[in-house]
Structure formats: C-alpha cells, structure tokens
Amino acid sequence: MTDIILYDYWRSSASYRVRIALNLKGVAYTAVNTSLLDGDQKAPDYVARNPQGFVPMLSIDGHDLTQSLAIIDYLDAKYDDPPMVSSDPLERATTLAQAMVIAADIHPVNNLRILKYLKNELGQDQQAVDGWYRHWVEEGFVALEAMAPETGLFGGVQPNLADVCLVPQMYNARRLDTDLKAFPKLVRIDAACNKIEAFQKAAPEAVKPA
C-alpha cells in the first residue's frame, strides 16, 4: 500500500491526465474507483473533502488535492523528473497555453455533467448532444493543430503537460466518432505518446474496474 491515493474514474479524462503524470514520474499510488455514473463523487464524505464533487482527487502528504492541472503542478514541484513544464518563462507559457486549449476550452463544455444537462434539462436528443461534443472538440483541435510542432511531441523528445492533456482528449474524441483527418499532427503526437508505457498503463481500458 502507498499513502498516495488517487480517487479516480476510469473514463474521466481529467483523471486520465493525472494517471499519466504519476506514471511518467514513477510515483506509486493506490487508486480508489469513484464512479461518476453511480454518483460516488457526490457522497457526503467525499464532498466534505472535495467541495466540487469532481474527480480526480489526490490524497498526498496529508492533503487532498483537486483539479487535474493543480494536481499535476504539485507533482511537478515535488517530483521534478521529467518536468511537465519548462523553467524557461516563454516555453512554460507556450506549454500552458497549449494544455489549456484542452483543459480550459474543450473539456469544460464537454464533460459528463454538461452533456447530461443538455439531454435531461434541455431536452436534447443523443444525436444533438454528440454533435455538441464533436463541435467543441473540432473547434479546439483546429487551434491546437496550428500550435503543434511539425516533428516530435509537444514536449519535444519527451512528453510535457500539453501531451498529457492531448491523449485523453483524443481518446474521447474517437469514442464520440470525431473526424480527425484535419488534425494529422495531433494524430501523430497521440500515436507516439501511446507507445510510451506510462501512457499505456494510464489508459482507460488498462484501469477499468473488473
């Protein structure tokens, strides 16, 4: 057992990011399945520790950390190899901008609670909900494709925060049948990352509860 506990849902892209970062840094942890479909994240004892009632939450060093990018930032400060962002101010800002295209612009309007609201409260059918999802993915990917390097990963020879954010979003884009032909650089980077063991071990199918 380890004192580091990740409250995790196998299909959560935010949780997926944190799993990748933990694996890249070689940090051992215990995963606690927190099912979004079963509402585990809204249990009173969980909300007492994580007022938003979201996943992931990382219990580490006596603290309960929330929000995937904040968790990864903590890990980066504590375990600096490999770095998720550069110490160079311009390179750091560039990586953060790339990562935030996904974490701040695509993901928030496409997470499960938004999709459920569209369907249940606003009465949209599944076709409309799926179309909403693909629209915002494609809009964000147009910008990210323009930002992507011609060769290598976003991080160059090793993955950085932008790569860590990209792979879960690509997984979900494919799950919703998003057409990726217009994004060859993103497809290339995703394929290269998924050859890395840390990404493979973090994949939803690798951690899905039996």
Side-chain angles (χ1 to χ4, degrees):
M1 290 289 289
T2 171
D3 292 331
I4 301 175
I5 300 172
L6 177 65
Y7 294 84
D8 181 32
Y9 180 59
W10 69 281
R11 199 171 254 177
S12 158
S13 58
S15 297
Y16 193 173
R17 296 170 198 153
V18 174
R19 294 195 301 265
I20 294 169
L22 287 163
N23 292 347
L24 284 170
K25 292 176 178 293
V27 178
Y29 67 95
T30 298
V32 174
N33 181 46
T34 308
S35 174
L36 301 184
L37 295 183
D38 295 337
D40 295 348
Q41 80 282 11
K42 297 301 183 183
D45 58 340
Y46 187 83
V47 173
R49 299 168 62 187
N50 180 354
Q52 281 191 295
F54 292 167
V55 293
M57 178 171 72
L58 187 70
S59 179
I60 183 171
D61 299 332
H63 308 295
D64 291 327
L65 306 181
T66 62
Q67 290 289 346
S68 63
L69 265 59
I71 293 170
I72 293 171
D73 184 66
Y74 183 94
L75 294 172
D76 218 26
K78 185 175 175 68
Y79 309 98
D80 59 4
D81 185 32
M84 294 292 97
V85 294
S86 172
S87 59
D88 176 81
L90 178 58
E91 291 182 10
R92 178 186 177 90
T94 299
T95 298
L96 288 172
Q98 293 162 343
M100 294 295 274
V101 170
I102 294 169
D105 294 332
I106 298 175
H107 178 242
V109 296
N110 275 344
N111 66 25
L112 183 61
R113 66 194 183 109
I114 300 298
L115 302 181
K116 288 173 68 175
Y117 188 85
L118 287 169
K119 188 171 186 178
N120 298 333
E121 277 72 20
L122 299 184
Q124 300 299 308
D125 62 22
Q126 192 62 50
Q127 183 177 0
V129 172
D130 291 348
W132 165 282
Y133 187 98
R134 287 188 291 268
H135 171 80
W136 297 113
V137 170
E138 290 164 3
E139 183 171 285
F141 276 5
V142 167
L144 198 59
E145 177 76 9
M147 297 177 179
E150 295 296 334
T151 61
L153 309 177
F154 277 106
V157 297
Q158 67 180 18
N160 68 7
L161 181 62
D163 298 296
V164 168
C165 289
L166 174 67
V167 169
Q169 189 60 66
M170 290 288 280
Y171 173 89
N172 280 343
R174 289 191 176 97
R175 192 164 62 86
L176 272 292
D177 297 321
T178 306
D179 187 351
L180 299 175
K181 289 195 294 292
F183 315 114
K185 290 188 286 186
L186 301 185
V187 170
R188 187 201 75 241
I189 293 168
D190 176 63
C193 287
N194 278 305
K195 293 178 181 177
I196 300 170
E197 184 179 20
F199 285 80
Q200 294 171 353
K201 289 185 173 180
E205 287 73 20
V207 301
K208 183 179 179 180

